[in-house]
PDB file of all heavy atoms in Angstrom:
ATOM      1  N   VAL A 159      12.494 -25.241  23.394  1.00 89.00           N
ATOM      2  CA  VAL A 159      13.454 -25.940  22.555  1.00 89.00           C
ATOM      3  C   VAL A 159      13.534 -25.167  21.250  1.00 89.00           C
ATOM      4  O   VAL A 159      12.507 -24.778  20.676  1.00 89.00           O
ATOM      5  CB  VAL A 159      13.013 -27.394  22.290  1.00 89.00           C
ATOM      6  CG1 VAL A 159      13.903 -28.032  21.224  1.00 89.00           C
ATOM      7  CG2 VAL A 159      13.068 -28.207  23.565  1.00 89.00           C
ATOM      8  N   LEU A 160      14.754 -24.931  20.759  1.00 90.00           N
ATOM      9  CA  LEU A 160      14.944 -24.207  19.509  1.00 90.00           C
ATOM     10  C   LEU A 160      15.432 -25.178  18.444  1.00 90.00           C
ATOM     11  O   LEU A 160      16.560 -25.679  18.508  1.00 90.00           O
ATOM     12  CB  LEU A 160      15.953 -23.065  19.690  1.00 90.00           C
ATOM     13  CG  LEU A 160      15.492 -21.894  20.542  1.00 90.00           C
ATOM     14  CD1 LEU A 160      15.894 -22.092  21.998  1.00 90.00           C
ATOM     15  CD2 LEU A 160      16.026 -20.579  20.014  1.00 90.00           C
ATOM     16  N   ARG A 161      14.596 -25.447  17.460  1.00 90.00           N
ATOM     17  CA  ARG A 161      14.935 -26.353  16.368  1.00 90.00           C
ATOM     18  C   ARG A 161      15.406 -25.552  15.163  1.00 90.00           C
ATOM     19  O   ARG A 161      14.880 -24.472  14.875  1.00 90.00           O
ATOM     20  CB  ARG A 161      13.719 -27.190  15.974  1.00 90.00           C
ATOM     21  CG  ARG A 161      13.151 -28.060  17.095  1.00 90.00           C
ATOM     22  CD  ARG A 161      11.874 -28.742  16.605  1.00 90.00           C
ATOM     23  NE  ARG A 161      11.236 -29.540  17.642  1.00 90.00           N
ATOM     24  CZ  ARG A 161      11.426 -30.841  17.810  1.00 90.00           C
ATOM     25  NH1 ARG A 161      12.262 -31.482  17.003  1.00 90.00           N
ATOM     26  NH2 ARG A 161      10.799 -31.500  18.755  1.00 90.00           N
ATOM     27  N   CYS A 162      16.378 -26.081  14.458  1.00 91.00           N
ATOM     28  CA  CYS A 162      16.888 -25.421  13.266  1.00 91.00           C
ATOM     29  C   CYS A 162      15.907 -25.624  12.107  1.00 91.00           C
ATOM     30  O   CYS A 162      15.449 -26.736  11.852  1.00 91.00           O
ATOM     31  CB  CYS A 162      18.256 -25.972  12.893  1.00 91.00           C
ATOM     32  SG  CYS A 162      18.990 -25.171  11.448  1.00 91.00           S
ATOM     33  N   ASP A 165      17.009 -28.249   9.481  1.00 89.00           N
ATOM     34  CA  ASP A 165      16.809 -29.647   9.884  1.00 89.00           C
ATOM     35  C   ASP A 165      16.091 -29.634  11.230  1.00 89.00           C
ATOM     36  O   ASP A 165      16.728 -29.524  12.271  1.00 89.00           O
ATOM     37  CB  ASP A 165      18.145 -30.369   9.990  1.00 89.00           C
ATOM     38  CG  ASP A 165      17.974 -31.863  10.285  1.00 89.00           C
ATOM     39  OD1 ASP A 165      16.830 -32.294  10.530  1.00 89.00           O
ATOM     40  OD2 ASP A 165      18.990 -32.582  10.275  1.00 89.00           O
ATOM     41  N   PRO A 166      14.777 -29.726  11.244  1.00 87.00           N
ATOM     42  CA  PRO A 166      14.010 -29.607  12.493  1.00 87.00           C
ATOM     43  C   PRO A 166      14.369 -30.639  13.556  1.00 87.00           C
ATOM     44  O   PRO A 166      14.044 -30.437  14.733  1.00 87.00           O
ATOM     45  CB  PRO A 166      12.560 -29.778  12.025  1.00 87.00           C
ATOM     46  CG  PRO A 166      12.570 -29.379  10.593  1.00 87.00           C
ATOM     47  CD  PRO A 166      13.899 -29.829  10.071  1.00 87.00           C
ATOM     48  N   ASP A 167      15.047 -31.722  13.173  1.00 87.00           N
ATOM     49  CA  ASP A 167      15.452 -32.692  14.197  1.00 87.00           C
ATOM     50  C   ASP A 167      16.636 -32.193  15.018  1.00 87.00           C
ATOM     51  O   ASP A 167      16.880 -32.678  16.123  1.00 87.00           O
ATOM     52  CB  ASP A 167      15.807 -34.030  13.545  1.00 87.00           C
ATOM     53  CG  ASP A 167      16.164 -35.086  14.579  1.00 87.00           C
ATOM     54  OD1 ASP A 167      15.360 -35.285  15.526  1.00 87.00           O
ATOM     55  OD2 ASP A 167      17.239 -35.697  14.448  1.00 87.00           O
ATOM     56  N   LEU A 168      17.371 -31.211  14.485  1.00 89.00           N
ATOM     57  CA  LEU A 168      18.499 -30.652  15.209  1.00 89.00           C
ATOM     58  C   LEU A 168      18.019 -29.518  16.115  1.00 89.00           C
ATOM     59  O   LEU A 168      17.366 -28.578  15.650  1.00 89.00           O
ATOM     60  CB  LEU A 168      19.556 -30.122  14.237  1.00 89.00           C
ATOM     61  CG  LEU A 168      20.270 -31.168  13.376  1.00 89.00           C
ATOM     62  CD1 LEU A 168      21.253 -30.490  12.439  1.00 89.00           C
ATOM     63  CD2 LEU A 168      20.981 -32.197  14.250  1.00 89.00           C
ATOM     64  N   CYS A 169      18.330 -29.620  17.386  1.00 89.00           N
ATOM     65  CA  CYS A 169      17.917 -28.590  18.328  1.00 89.00           C
ATOM     66  C   CYS A 169      19.141 -28.012  19.034  1.00 89.00           C
ATOM     67  O   CYS A 169      20.156 -28.701  19.234  1.00 89.00           O
ATOM     68  CB  CYS A 169      16.916 -29.129  19.347  1.00 89.00           C
ATOM     69  SG  CYS A 169      17.532 -30.471  20.362  1.00 89.00           S
ATOM     70  N   LEU A 170      19.036 -26.741  19.384  1.00 90.00           N
ATOM     71  CA  LEU A 170      20.126 -26.035  20.046  1.00 90.00           C
ATOM     72  C   LEU A 170      20.395 -26.667  21.404  1.00 90.00           C
ATOM     73  O   LEU A 170      19.476 -26.934  22.178  1.00 90.00           O
ATOM     74  CB  LEU A 170      19.737 -24.564  20.207  1.00 90.00           C
ATOM     75  CG  LEU A 170      20.856 -23.550  20.439  1.00 90.00           C
ATOM     76  CD1 LEU A 170      21.766 -23.496  19.228  1.00 90.00           C
ATOM     77  CD2 LEU A 170      20.259 -22.184  20.736  1.00 90.00           C
ATOM     78  N   ALA A 171      21.693 -26.907  21.708  1.00 90.00           N
ATOM     79  CA  ALA A 171      22.030 -27.584  22.959  1.00 90.00           C
ATOM     80  C   ALA A 171      23.368 -27.103  23.474  1.00 90.00           C
ATOM     81  O   ALA A 171      24.235 -26.637  22.709  1.00 90.00           O
ATOM     82  CB  ALA A 171      22.062 -29.097  22.761  1.00 90.00           C
ATOM     83  N   GLY A 179      26.013 -26.062  20.427  1.00 86.00           N
ATOM     84  CA  GLY A 179      25.891 -26.717  19.139  1.00 86.00           C
ATOM     85  C   GLY A 179      24.501 -27.288  18.963  1.00 86.00           C
ATOM     86  O   GLY A 179      23.532 -26.792  19.543  1.00 86.00           O
ATOM     87  N   PHE A 180      24.413 -28.365  18.178  1.00 86.00           N
ATOM     88  CA  PHE A 180      23.120 -28.979  17.895  1.00 86.00           C
ATOM     89  C   PHE A 180      23.184 -30.467  18.189  1.00 86.00           C
ATOM     90  O   PHE A 180      24.201 -31.125  17.947  1.00 86.00           O
ATOM     91  CB  PHE A 180      22.719 -28.753  16.435  1.00 86.00           C
ATOM     92  CG  PHE A 180      22.351 -27.339  16.118  1.00 86.00           C
ATOM     93  CD1 PHE A 180      23.338 -26.425  15.764  1.00 86.00           C
ATOM     94  CD2 PHE A 180      21.044 -26.905  16.186  1.00 86.00           C
ATOM     95  CE1 PHE A 180      23.014 -25.116  15.469  1.00 86.00           C
ATOM     96  CE2 PHE A 180      20.706 -25.599  15.891  1.00 86.00           C
ATOM     97  CZ  PHE A 180      21.695 -24.701  15.539  1.00 86.00           C
ATOM     98  N   LEU A 181      22.093 -30.980  18.715  1.00 83.00           N
ATOM     99  CA  LEU A 181      21.938 -32.408  18.944  1.00 83.00           C
ATOM    100  C   LEU A 181      20.653 -32.872  18.284  1.00 83.00           C
ATOM    101  O   LEU A 181      19.728 -32.068  18.050  1.00 83.00           O
ATOM    102  CB  LEU A 181      21.885 -32.713  20.445  1.00 83.00           C
ATOM    103  CG  LEU A 181      23.155 -32.435  21.265  1.00 83.00           C
ATOM    104  CD1 LEU A 181      22.877 -32.700  22.742  1.00 83.00           C
ATOM    105  CD2 LEU A 181      24.315 -33.287  20.774  1.00 83.00           C
ATOM    106  N   SER A 182      20.587 -34.143  18.000  1.00 83.00           N
ATOM    107  CA  SER A 182      19.359 -34.722  17.483  1.00 83.00           C
ATOM    108  C   SER A 182      18.344 -34.799  18.620  1.00 83.00           C
ATOM    109  O   SER A 182      18.573 -35.473  19.627  1.00 83.00           O
ATOM    110  CB  SER A 182      19.611 -36.114  16.902  1.00 83.00           C
ATOM    111  OG  SER A 182      18.386 -36.762  16.612  1.00 83.00           O
ATOM    112  N   TYR A 183      17.270 -34.098  18.455  1.00 73.00           N
ATOM    113  CA  TYR A 183      16.286 -34.057  19.530  1.00 73.00           C
ATOM    114  C   TYR A 183      15.653 -35.425  19.750  1.00 73.00           C
ATOM    115  O   TYR A 183      15.364 -35.811  20.882  1.00 73.00           O
ATOM    116  CB  TYR A 183      15.204 -33.030  19.205  1.00 73.00           C
ATOM    117  CG  TYR A 183      14.216 -32.834  20.330  1.00 73.00           C
ATOM    118  CD1 TYR A 183      14.588 -32.212  21.515  1.00 73.00           C
ATOM    119  CD2 TYR A 183      12.900 -33.296  20.210  1.00 73.00           C
ATOM    120  CE1 TYR A 183      13.692 -32.036  22.547  1.00 73.00           C
ATOM    121  CE2 TYR A 183      11.989 -33.130  21.241  1.00 73.00           C
ATOM    122  CZ  TYR A 183      12.391 -32.502  22.401  1.00 73.00           C
ATOM    123  OH  TYR A 183      11.507 -32.342  23.422  1.00 73.00           O
ATOM    124  N   LEU A 184      15.464 -36.185  18.668  1.00 73.00           N
ATOM    125  CA  LEU A 184      14.844 -37.507  18.789  1.00 73.00           C
ATOM    126  C   LEU A 184      15.743 -38.440  19.598  1.00 73.00           C
ATOM    127  O   LEU A 184      15.292 -39.082  20.552  1.00 73.00           O
ATOM    128  CB  LEU A 184      14.573 -38.090  17.408  1.00 73.00           C
ATOM    129  CG  LEU A 184      13.919 -39.478  17.376  1.00 73.00           C
ATOM    130  CD1 LEU A 184      12.574 -39.443  18.075  1.00 73.00           C
ATOM    131  CD2 LEU A 184      13.779 -39.976  15.944  1.00 73.00           C
ATOM    132  N   TYR A 186      18.127 -37.527  21.538  1.00 61.00           N
ATOM    133  CA  TYR A 186      18.351 -36.925  22.861  1.00 61.00           C
ATOM    134  C   TYR A 186      17.254 -37.358  23.838  1.00 61.00           C
ATOM    135  O   TYR A 186      17.521 -37.765  24.962  1.00 61.00           O
ATOM    136  CB  TYR A 186      18.378 -35.398  22.738  1.00 61.00           C
ATOM    137  CG  TYR A 186      18.323 -34.663  24.059  1.00 61.00           C
ATOM    138  CD1 TYR A 186      19.468 -34.519  24.837  1.00 61.00           C
ATOM    139  CD2 TYR A 186      17.130 -34.130  24.521  1.00 61.00           C
ATOM    140  CE1 TYR A 186      19.418 -33.848  26.046  1.00 61.00           C
ATOM    141  CE2 TYR A 186      17.074 -33.460  25.723  1.00 61.00           C
ATOM    142  CZ  TYR A 186      18.219 -33.319  26.476  1.00 61.00           C
ATOM    143  OH  TYR A 186      18.163 -32.660  27.666  1.00 61.00           O
ATOM    144  N   CYS A 197      19.162 -29.542  26.086  1.00 88.00           N
ATOM    145  CA  CYS A 197      18.454 -28.930  24.967  1.00 88.00           C
ATOM    146  C   CYS A 197      17.354 -27.974  25.416  1.00 88.00           C
ATOM    147  O   CYS A 197      16.635 -27.431  24.573  1.00 88.00           O
ATOM    148  CB  CYS A 197      17.845 -30.007  24.067  1.00 88.00           C
ATOM    149  SG  CYS A 197      19.053 -30.971  23.142  1.00 88.00           S
ATOM    150  N   TRP A 199      16.039 -24.522  27.127  1.00 91.00           N
ATOM    151  CA  TRP A 199      16.501 -23.150  27.349  1.00 91.00           C
ATOM    152  C   TRP A 199      15.400 -22.323  28.013  1.00 91.00           C
ATOM    153  O   TRP A 199      14.240 -22.413  27.633  1.00 91.00           O
ATOM    154  CB  TRP A 199      16.891 -22.498  26.017  1.00 91.00           C
ATOM    155  CG  TRP A 199      18.011 -23.205  25.324  1.00 91.00           C
ATOM    156  CD1 TRP A 199      17.909 -24.251  24.454  1.00 91.00           C
ATOM    157  CD2 TRP A 199      19.410 -22.932  25.459  1.00 91.00           C
ATOM    158  NE1 TRP A 199      19.142 -24.655  24.025  1.00 91.00           N
ATOM    159  CE2 TRP A 199      20.097 -23.851  24.619  1.00 91.00           C
ATOM    160  CE3 TRP A 199      20.152 -21.997  26.181  1.00 91.00           C
ATOM    161  CZ2 TRP A 199      21.477 -23.862  24.505  1.00 91.00           C
ATOM    162  CZ3 TRP A 199      21.538 -22.014  26.052  1.00 91.00           C
ATOM    163  CH2 TRP A 199      22.186 -22.931  25.241  1.00 91.00           C
TER     164      TRP A 199
END
Side-chain angles (χ1 to χ4, degrees):
V159 170
L160 290 92
R161 300 175 183 265
C162 182
D165 185 353
D167 183 52
L168 294 178
C169 61
L170 200 64
F180 289 86
L181 294 176
S182 170
Y183 185 70
L184 180 60
Y186 168 80
C197 291
W199 299 88

